[in-house]
Amino acid sequence: MVNYCGLLTEKNEPVPLKQVEVAVRVQGHVASVTSTLQYENKEKNPLEAIFVFPLEGDAALCHFSAKIGETELVAKLQEKQKAKEQYDDALSSGRQAFLLEECEESEDVFRLSVGSLSPGEKASVTLSYVTELAVQADEALRFCLPAVLNPRYDPQDSGSVPQVTSSSDGSVPYTLSLSVHLSSPSPISKVESNCPLEPLKYLNTEKTQATVSLSPGHVFDRDVELLAYYSGAHQPTAIVEVGQPNAKSGSLMGDPVVMLSLYPEFSAAVTSSLDSRGEFLFLVDRSGSMGCPMHNSQGAQMRIESARDTLLLLLKSLPIGCFFNIYGFGSTHNSFFPKSVEYSQETMDQALEKVGAIQADMGGTEILSPLTHIYSQPCLPEHPRQLFIFTDGEVWNTKEVLDLVKRNAFCHRCFSFGIGEGASTALIKGMAKEGSGHAQFITGTDRLQPKVMQSLRFALQPAVKDISVKWNVPKGVSVTPLSPPINVLFQGQRSLLYAQLTGQFAEATDGSLSVQYRLGEQSVQNQISFSVKPGEETGLTIHRLGARTLIRTLETELRTAQQDEQEGQSKEEAECLRKRVIELSVQSGVSSVLTAFIAVHAGSAQSVQGSLVRRHVPTPRVMASRRIMYQISDENCDDCYGDFEDAEFSLEEVLNPPQPPKDLLLQLISLQKATGSWDLVPELAQVFGKTEEEVAKQTPPQVDSGLWATVLALLWLYGFRGEDEDEWQFVAMKAVSWIRAQKGGSVSQCVQAGNTLLGCQVQQGTLGL
C-alpha cells in the first residue's frame, strides 16, 4: 500500500497554484458554483501542475475553461481516453493543454492537469458545477465546499488511484476567497458557517435576496459549510425549466425538465408509535485515521472518542425486545458477539464494557469484508435489519462498496455517518441511497449524537412499502423520468424527482404527481401540482441536475453489465450503456466517469521550450496532533498521518493529554438501566450537584428509591438539558414507560419534591406522566 502524504516535490519548492476564488449562487434547493484557480509559474522550467481535489459526490460538473493572457479556451467534453491522448499529444509537442477528469474509483474526486506553463506565465482555470442542497433537521439548507482530501486507503493496492498530495500541517500555500448570492421565494432569516463570515447583506426590503462572504484571511484548512435558513424550506415545490433554444426538440436539453421536491406526510399515529422490533447492527471504523481529531481547532475530540460516546447513547436508547450487535473494522474486522443478541441488561452491560475499550488500532480502512460478512448472516424473522455505519470514509474502492450495498438492499436499511473533515461524500451518501436509508455528515464542531438520534428515529419508523409514482399531465404531453424509482420515504425528509416533458404545451395547463405507498396498515397518497408550461428561460441548472441523476443511474447499470460480461454474459448490453453514458454526457455538458474536459491552446505559433517538470498541488488534510506512532507499518497505520507531529508538546503532554470535563448528559445516560430506570447511586447524585445522602434524605414517604431516582433523572433532563432533547428523547421514553409500569408510590409527590431538590419547575405533564 502506498500513501502520499506531504508535498512530493523538493523542500521549499514553489507550488504553481496561487489563489482559489469561488462564487456561489443559491436558488431555492440548488446551488450553482464557479471556482477560478489562478496559476503562476515562478520557476525556470516549464511546468505541468497536477491538482487532485474533492467535490460533492452529487455535483454536476458542467463547464471548464482556461485563460492565458487575453486568450480564453473553453474546454469540450470528450470520451475520456481520446481526451487523455489529445492532452498527451499537446504536451509532447510543447503546446499548452488543460485536462479535467473524474476519478474512476470515486465520483467525488477530480484530477486537474495544467500542462506546459512557460516560465513566468500565468493562467487561470475556471470550473462550474451545480448541486442539490441537503435539507437539515432544523430546516436549514446545507451547502458544502469540500477542501479537505485526506489520503485514502486502497485495499487492493492497485496503483491506479489518483496520487493525492496533501499538506502535512493542514495549511496550503494558496488562498481562498468565497462569495455567496442567495435568493429565495421567502425571506432569508440567517446564514451560519463553520468558518468566519462577513455580515449578511440584504439586497431588497423583502429580504428574499442577500449576499455573504468569507471573512478576509480565511485559513484554507477545512471544508467550508454554509447553512441557509429561510421559511418554507420544508414545503413541497415544483419547478419547470425551459430547454436550450438551439437544442433538438425531443432531446433532454431541448425539452423542458421538471424538478419536484417531495415531503411525505405521515399521520401522527404513525410517527408517535415507534417499533420496538428490529436487528440493529453498528459497524464502526477503527482504522488508524479514526485516531485523528474531528477538526483542526484546539481541543477537538478524536473521531474514535466521538464514536464511543455515540455507541453509548445508542445502546441506552435501544428498545427492549430488539436484537443488536457491534462490529469494528480496519484491515480486519470483528464483532462483540458471534451473532446478534437480544437486548437486555446483561447484553447491554457486556457491550458497554467493550465499547469503552475500542481504539483506532485496526490498520487500514477495509469496509468491503465486514459488509460481506454482515450480508451473509441470515436475517431475523419479524426483526427488520437496520445497519448503522460510522466511518471517516477514506477509501478508494467506493463504487465496489456501493454495488455491494445495492445488491443487498432488499434485506436491510443502511444509515451512514461521515465523521470528520474529508469524509467521502460519494461513499457516505451512496451507501444510504443504495441501502434505502439516510446519510449524515459530522464536521467541525458538530456533535455526532443528535444526528445519530435522528437516524435512529427513522430506523424505528415503519418501513414505507409498495411505493408507486403516477404522473398526471395533459393530453399531448409525455413524461420521461430521469430519476430512479423512489425506494425510501421518511417523515420530514425530502425526495427529489427529475423528469423530461415532451410534447405540445397549451396555455396555463396544470399537471400533478401522486406518490402512493403503504405505511403499516394504512394506504397513503401524497400529491403535488405544477404548471406543465415552463416559464421564462432561467438557465440550465435543473436540466444538468436531471442529466447528472440519469448518468449516475446508467453508470451503475454499466458496472453491473460489465460484471456480468466478466462472468460470460453478452457484451452488447455493456457497450450499449457505455455509448449512452458518453452521448448523454456530451449532449448535456455534464461530466461522467467515461468523459473528460479537454482544452488545447493551438493559437501559439511557438512551442514551449525546455524539459517539462511536474508539480503536485497539495490539498488540505486534517492534522493528527498529539499523536505518536510507536510502530509504523501498513498493518497499524492506514493513512500514516504523520508521526511525532506538533513537536512543541512535551512527551508527558502527549502521553497524558488534559482530559476534557465529562459531559454530565452522557454521564447520566450511562447510568440508566436497559429497562429505562435509574438506581440511586453516588454518580447520579453527582450529576445533580448533590451527595447521595442529600438526595436520599428528600425521598418522599413510601417511595421506592428507583422510582425516586428515575423521576429525578427525567426532571434534570427536561429542566437543565432541554436544548439537547434530540439526544435523550429515547432515553426519556424508556424511563416514562418504566415509571408507568410501577405500582405504588406517588409520581406527583416525586415530581414536586424533585423540583424543590433540583431547583427547577417542570410540570408533570411535560414529562409525559
Side-chain angles (χ1 to χ4, degrees):
M1 182 184 69
V2 177
N3 286 293
Y4 299 95
C5 299
L7 290 175
L8 299 184
T9 53
E10 295 176 10
K11 192 174 182 180
N12 297 324
E13 207 166 56
V15 174
L17 180 58
K18 299 300 177 185
Q19 185 177 11
V20 179
E21 298 175 358
V22 180
V24 182
R25 190 172 187 88
V26 175
Q27 294 176 291
H29 286 248
V30 299
S32 303
V33 184
T34 300
S35 295
T36 301
L37 293 78
Q38 304 284 352
Y39 288 88
E40 182 179 2
N41 182 6
K42 292 188 175 182
E43 300 189 48
K44 297 179 180 179
N45 295 313
L47 291 180
E48 179 188 25
I50 307 296
F51 188 28
V52 179
F53 61 97
L55 284 182
E56 281 281 285
D58 50 7
L61 188 61
C62 53
H63 173 83
F64 178 53
S65 62
K67 190 172 184 180
I68 305 171
E70 297 301 316
T71 304
E72 183 172 6
L73 310 174
V74 179
K76 293 183 178 180
L77 263 179
Q78 292 187 13
E79 191 274 327
K80 182 178 285 189
Q81 188 57 40
K82 292 181 180 177
K84 286 183 175 180
E85 291 172 358
Q86 190 175 347
Y87 176 81
D88 291 340
D89 290 344
L91 263 60
S92 62
S93 62
R95 290 180 294 164
Q96 292 161 330
F98 304 83
L99 180 71
L100 180 60
E101 57 185 308
E102 178 184 314
C103 167
E104 294 185 7
E105 288 74 18
S106 190
E107 62 196 34
D108 62 343
V109 178
F110 285 78
R111 186 178 191 265
L112 171 61
S113 303
V114 178
S116 292
L117 272 180
S118 300
E121 189 169 46
K122 296 180 180 180
S124 65
V125 172
T126 299
L127 58 95
S128 301
Y129 64 91
V130 292
T131 186
E132 302 164 357
L133 300 181
V135 183
Q136 306 297 287
D138 61 354
E139 300 194 358
L141 291 172
R142 179 182 182 267
F143 167 77
C144 181
L145 178 69
V148 175
L149 181 54
N150 293 323
R152 294 183 177 180
Y153 176 78
D154 180 11
Q156 287 145 359
D157 196 13
S158 62
S160 63
V161 300
Q163 179 173 296
V164 180
T165 307
S166 302
S167 60
S168 60
D169 62 354
S171 62
V172 288
Y174 44 89
T175 60
L176 169 71
S177 63
L178 182 141
S179 60
V180 184
H181 182 281
L182 303 101
S183 61
S184 163
S186 53
I188 302 162
S189 57
K190 62 179 178 178
V191 176
E192 297 178 347
S193 177
N194 62 330
C195 302
L197 294 176
E198 293 289 277
L200 184 69
K201 295 181 180 179
Y202 292 105
L203 303 181
N204 57 9
T205 55
E206 294 83 9
K207 296 186 177 181
T208 57
Q209 295 193 37
T211 60
V212 71
S213 61
L214 285 179
S215 299
H218 170 70
V219 179
F220 196 27
D221 63 351
R222 70 196 73 176
D223 296 344
V224 179
E225 183 183 67
L226 293 173
L227 298 175
Y229 293 82
Y230 49 80
S231 59
H234 269 69
Q235 297 301 313
T237 59
I239 302 174
V240 180
E241 185 179 76
V242 68
Q244 278 181 319
N246 57 350
K248 181 181 177 181
S249 179
S251 68
L252 173 60
M253 302 307 289
D255 287 340
V257 170
V258 59
M259 178 180 75
L260 296 172
S261 303
L262 303 174
Y263 290 90
E265 300 172 3
F266 295 175
S267 67
V270 171
T271 56
S272 62
S273 60
L274 300 177
D275 200 335
S276 62
R277 297 172 304 168
E279 180 191 22
F280 296 88
L281 303 180
F282 306 112
L283 180 58
V284 183
D285 190 342
R286 290 179 55 182
S287 63
S289 55
M290 286 290 286
C292 293
M294 294 287 291
H295 52 87
N296 284 340
S297 302
Q298 187 174 7
Q301 188 180 38
M302 296 296 126
R303 297 173 183 175
I304 196 68
E305 293 173 358
S306 180
R308 282 198 297 264
D309 289 347
T310 302
L311 286 173
L312 162 67
L313 185 58
L314 280 167
L315 286 171
K316 294 292 184 175
S317 301
L318 290 179
I320 290 289
C322 74
F323 285 75
F324 79 100
N325 204 349
I326 298 176
Y327 292 80
F329 73 94
S331 299
T332 60
H333 66 272
N334 57 34
S335 61
F336 282 14
F337 306 100
K339 61 180 182 179
S340 295
V341 296
E342 187 171 358
Y343 180 72
S344 66
Q345 185 67 44
E346 181 183 3
T347 56
M348 184 192 75
D349 287 342
Q350 291 174 3
L352 285 173
E353 184 178 355
K354 295 180 180 181
V355 164
I358 65 172
Q359 300 292 334
D361 56 2
M362 293 184 68
T365 312
E366 174 53 81
I367 193 172
L368 265 178
S369 182
L371 282 175
T372 302
H373 172 77
I374 287 172
Y375 293 141
S376 71
Q377 303 301 302
C379 293
L380 301 176
E382 305 300 321
H383 287 275
R385 178 170 288 172
Q386 315 282 0
L387 176 60
F388 286 65
I389 302 178
F390 303 89
T391 177
D392 55 20
E394 297 177 4
V395 297
W396 275 124
N397 58 336
T398 301
K399 294 179 180 178
E400 197 175 356
V401 173
L402 300 188
D403 289 343
L404 177 63
V405 175
K406 184 175 183 179
R407 288 197 300 272
N408 293 275
F410 64 91
C411 67
H412 78 303
R413 287 195 289 189
C414 180
F415 299 87
S416 53
F417 303 87
I419 301 176
E421 306 284 352
S424 168
T425 58
L427 178 71
I428 304 305
K429 291 182 178 180
M431 289 192 297
K433 178 182 177 182
E434 300 297 353
S436 302
H438 187 251
Q440 302 267 23
F441 289 88
I442 299 88
T443 59
T445 57
D446 285 351
R447 282 176 60 84
L448 177 56
Q449 289 81 7
K451 295 191 175 186
V452 171
M453 287 298 102
Q454 182 189 41
S455 293
L456 182 58
R457 283 197 299 276
F458 292 155
L460 290 171
Q461 286 180 12
V464 174
K465 299 179 180 179
D466 302 332
I467 303 173
S468 63
V469 173
K470 182 180 180 181
W471 295 85
N472 303 291
V473 293
K475 188 176 180 180
V477 177
S478 61
V479 177
T480 302
L482 303 176
S483 303
I486 299 176
N487 59 6
V488 60
L489 290 171
F490 292 117
Q491 169 70 15
Q493 287 299 300
R494 180 191 66 189
S495 295
L496 282 179
L497 288 179
Y498 299 92
Q500 177 182 345
L501 304 177
T502 304
Q504 301 297 319
F505 300 91
E507 292 294 328
T509 53
D510 291 331
S512 66
L513 177 136
S514 299
V515 181
Q516 292 181 307
Y517 50 90
R518 190 161 56 86
L519 186 59
E521 300 301 319
Q522 299 181 6
S523 180
V524 185
Q525 176 176 307
N526 295 158
Q527 182 170 305
I528 181 172
S529 300
F530 59 93
S531 174
V532 174
K533 187 175 178 62
E536 61 185 35
E537 186 174 347
T538 57
L540 295 170
T541 298
I542 294 174
H543 278 75
R544 286 165 175 157
L545 288 172
R548 186 284 319 274
T549 300
L550 181 55
I551 286 171
R552 295 300 187 218
T553 301
L554 294 173
E555 287 175 345
T556 301
E557 293 177 4
L558 175 59
R559 293 198 301 275
T560 302
Q562 288 172 335
Q563 291 169 1
D564 293 340
E565 181 184 329
Q566 292 174 357
E567 297 170 2
Q569 301 295 320
S570 172
K571 296 182 179 180
E572 294 180 3
E573 182 182 0
E575 184 59 27
C576 181
L577 285 167
R578 185 179 180 278
K579 290 180 178 178
R580 191 178 174 197
V581 169
I582 294 173
E583 180 183 2
L584 180 59
S585 176
V586 172
Q587 177 200 138
S588 63
V590 174
S591 70
S592 73
V593 71
L594 298 178
T595 55
F597 284 99
I598 175 71
V600 177
H601 189 194
S604 177
Q606 187 172 2
S607 297
V608 177
Q609 301 298 315
S611 300
L612 189 65
V613 179
R614 176 172 289 189
R615 294 287 180 258
H616 294 276
V617 178
T619 57
R621 67 166 168 81
V622 176
M623 295 185 295
S625 60
R626 295 183 180 269
R627 182 180 176 194
I628 286 186
M629 302 261 184
Y630 293 100
Q631 298 176 353
I632 297 187
S633 69
D634 290 345
E635 294 182 351
N636 61 15
C637 172
D638 71 327
D639 300 323
C640 295
Y641 270 84
D643 47 343
F644 301 99
E645 289 185 17
D646 293 350
E648 71 271 14
F649 296 116
S650 68
L651 182 60
E652 176 62 27
E653 285 182 294
V654 178
L655 293 176
N656 299 291
Q659 296 298 315
K662 188 171 181 64
D663 188 323
L664 291 179
L665 174 60
L666 287 178
Q667 184 173 330
L668 177 125
I669 291 173
S670 70
L671 297 171
Q672 189 185 34
K673 299 168 74 172
T675 55
S677 66
W678 276 266
D679 287 335
L680 185 53
V681 293
E683 293 83 359
L684 181 64
Q686 185 182 17
V687 172
F688 305 148
K690 309 289 182 181
T691 65
E692 183 182 7
E693 291 74 17
E694 288 175 313
V695 175
K697 187 177 179 180
Q698 299 299 321
T699 307
Q702 300 180 342
V703 169
D704 176 77
S705 64
L707 176 62
W708 172 234
T710 304
V711 171
L712 285 175
L714 276 177
L715 288 170
W716 186 86
L717 288 172
Y718 280 98
F720 299 99
R721 296 302 290 265
E723 71 278 6
D724 298 318
E725 186 174 359
D726 284 347
E727 298 185 39
W728 52 256
Q729 62 171 323
F730 290 115
V731 166
M733 288 170 61
K734 290 173 68 173
V736 169
S737 295
W738 181 85
I739 291 172
R740 286 175 175 167
Q742 303 310 300
K743 296 180 180 179
S746 172
V747 173
S748 298
Q749 274 187 290
C750 290
V751 171
Q752 184 177 357
N755 276 319
T756 302
L757 175 67
L758 300 180
C760 54
Q761 296 180 340
V762 180
Q763 300 298 315
Q764 185 171 335
T766 303
L767 303 179
L769 296 171

